[in-house]
Structures are given as C-alpha cells and as structure tokens.
C-alpha cells in the first residue's frame, strides 16, 4: 500500500490556484508508522521512536511557525471506527484553521517549519490533508447559511 505523506506538485499547484486571501480549515487524517523512519543521517535515526512519538516531536518543533501563521487547532479526535471507507484506518484526526491560505503557505516556507517537517515525514505512514472553505453551520443537518 502506498501512503500519502507529502503533497504532490500538482496538488500544490491546485492549492495555489484557489483564493489565497480567505480563511481555510485543513482537515488532517493521520496514520502513524509503527516505528518512525528517520533518514540514516538524522540524529533521531537510532532513537527507536514510534511514529506517534515522532509526530509529537513534529508538533513541538512546528508550534512556533504554526503560531506565527495565526493557525489554531479547532478540533482534535482519535478515530475509533470508519463506517464508510472501512479500508482506511486513522490514528489521529484534527482540524486546523488559518486566517488565510496565504498564512498557511507562509508557514510551509518558514525555515523553522521546514526543519520540523522531518519528524512528520518520519512519523506518518499515510495521511489526508483536505482544504476546506469554512462556512457557518445552518439549523438543520447538512445545511449551511453560506452559499456554495
């Protein structure tokens, strides 16, 4: 099974083609490696970390760039069961909100963030990162007050 860890060149181009000056929410679905896979020349290569431990290191290392981008984590959960798409099993799910897509991209280009990403790459076996345009929830199920 091929895991998705980093965005493709095409996905990055599609992201940049969307409006950059509007708020975004990023749905994150993560499956961790049993053992973190750091490059041989990385200081943590022989540390024997689990994927979850490496992801926690990523969270600590990326905290300052995330804060500088005015990012906020608005929801966090541990998936228990996938009812639809049962072949996908996730260890962690969360939603991060950014004031603008431009702020998210600025975080990705932050040198401190780029150093932190090695922990994410070592930690993650598979992931989904889904960009969403936030909308106000309506009164009924599946309704919104915003127009599509």
């Amino acid at each position: 099974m091929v895991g998705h860890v980093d965005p493709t060149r095409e996905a990055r181009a599609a992201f940049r083609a969307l409006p950059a000056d509007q708020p975004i929410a990023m749905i994150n679905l993560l499956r961790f490696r049993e053992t973190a896979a750091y490059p041989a020349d990385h200081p943590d290569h022989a540390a024997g970390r689990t994927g979850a431990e490496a992801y926690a290191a990523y969270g600590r290392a990326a905290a300052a760039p995330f804060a500088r981008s005015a990012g906020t984590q608005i929801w966090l959960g541990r998936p228990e069961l996938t009812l639809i798409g049962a072949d996908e099993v996730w260890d962690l799910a969360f939603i991060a909100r950014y004031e603008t897509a431009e702020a998210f991209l600025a975080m990705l280009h932050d040198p401190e963030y780029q150093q932190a990403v090695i922990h994410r790459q070592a930690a993650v076996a598979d992931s989904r990162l889904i960009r969403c345009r936030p909308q106000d929830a309506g009164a009924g199920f599946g309704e919104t007050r915003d127009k599509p």
Side-chain angles (χ1 to χ4, degrees):
M1 170 195 249
V2 173
H4 303 280
V5 179
D6 295 314
T8 63
R9 181 181 307 247
E10 295 80 14
R12 287 190 298 258
F15 186 99
R16 287 190 301 274
L18 293 172
D21 60 348
Q22 299 173 5
I24 62 169
M26 300 294 283
I27 299 172
N28 291 256
L29 301 173
L30 302 161
R31 182 176 321 116
F32 300 128
R33 299 175 193 271
E34 190 171 319
T35 304
Y38 285 98
D41 62 345
H42 191 275
D44 292 328
H45 175 72
R49 286 185 175 169
T50 66
E53 290 169 336
Y55 197 81
Y58 163 69
R60 290 187 300 274
F66 183 65
R68 285 192 292 273
S69 74
T72 56
Q73 190 176 70
I74 60 174
W75 182 85
L76 171 73
R78 295 217 181 266
E80 295 179 327
L81 172 71
T82 302
L83 295 176
I84 299 173
D87 57 329
E88 294 189 336
V89 177
W90 305 107
D91 295 313
L92 187 65
F94 67 91
I95 301 172
R97 185 181 189 286
Y98 299 86
E99 291 300 315
T100 64
E102 185 175 62
F104 174 77
L105 290 172
M107 179 189 73
L108 297 183
H109 291 98
D110 182 306
E112 187 176 357
Y113 179 83
Q114 291 178 351
Q115 291 294 313
V117 163
I118 191 73
H119 297 291
R120 184 184 187 285
Q121 292 167 332
V124 175
D126 197 9
S127 65
R128 303 294 182 270
L129 184 58
I130 305 166
R131 176 181 164 157
C132 299
R133 179 172 43 96
Q135 296 183 322
D136 292 332
F141 180 75
E143 293 180 20
T144 67
R145 290 182 232 177
D146 294 340
K147 295 188 184 344

